[in-house]
Amino acid sequence: GQQVMQIPQYQHVQEGEDFTTYCNSSTTLSNIQWYKQRPGGHPVFLIQLVKSGEVKKQKRLTFQFGEAKKNSSLHITATQTTDVGTYFCAGRGDAGNMLTFGGGTRLMVKP
Amino acid sequence: GAVVSQHPSRVICKSGTSVKIECRSLDFQATTMFWYRQFPKQSLMLMATSNEGSKATYEQGVEKDKFLINHASLTLSTLTVTSAHPEDSSFYICSARDRGTRPLLNTEAFFGQGTRLTVV
């Protein structure tokens, strides 16, 4: 079945440093979504990428979808303490109706 | 964005009893709802896909007789954990897809707030 791997599992950064999390799928995806989950909270939808090579930006967040539509990344520029949380990617296969979540990357930001 | 309401947010029950969790789409119709389980510091694991008016599709390893799912209307799906045991303690989250969205493309999964179940 489809597997989605996400690295790193954890990342500690100093406030102001950049942060990147990477997502790799075992199969080609029709689209990939990114979510943020704060401690004790529920996943909140951030963005969806559909096209090969697509790049989208949301303020300090940059999302990329690989040319082969099997990998994706989320980059945060100049992290802030409000960025703390776990970032999940979730991929949907070509024939799929369901999302497969990556393991998540827990971001901790030191003020 | 669309709102999905999940209730209750927390529940403590005795071993052997059943617990019902509700997932409602408040401002859109959801033909498909998904139920996930999340253990502490782990990812979301899909348990089942619930389609309005039909039987749920369960993922491998999920006992359908233990986790009963009902999706009787376009705005409500329920998950009932039957004969709960301490190992069923977990965070259960539902998500819903807007019926008005084109299938497979540009879809979003809107998540409920989650239910933390503790079985004692």
Side-chain angles (χ1 to χ4, degrees), chain A residues 10 30-31 33 35 37 40-43 45 48 50 88 92 94 96-99 101-104 106, chain B residues 32 34 36 38 41-44 46 49 51 59 91 93 97 104-109 111-114:
Chain A
Y10 304 94
S30 62
N31 62 65
Q33 301 177 6
Y35 293 81
Q37 186 176 23
H42 63 282
F45 175 84
Q48 176 173 273
V50 179
F88 291 99
R92 181 173 282 114
D94 279 338
N97 186 40
M98 52 173 270
L99 287 173
F101 278 80
R106 179 169 302 162
Chain B
T32 305
F34 303 89
Y36 295 85
Q38 186 177 33
K41 300 181 182 180
Q42 293 189 25
S43 187
L44 287 78
L46 181 66
T49 303
N51 293 298
E59 295 302 300
F91 192 52
I93 312 176
R97 177 178 299 155
L104 300 185
L105 290 177
N106 296 321
T107 57
E108 292 183 16
F111 281 83
Q113 302 92 327

Side-chain angles (χ1 to χ4, degrees), chain B residues 99-118:
Chain B
R99 181 188 192 187
T101 306
R102 284 187 298 157
L104 300 185
L105 290 177
N106 296 321
T107 57
E108 292 183 16
F110 303 104
F111 281 83
Q113 302 92 327
T115 298
R116 190 162 302 282
L117 170 64
T118 304

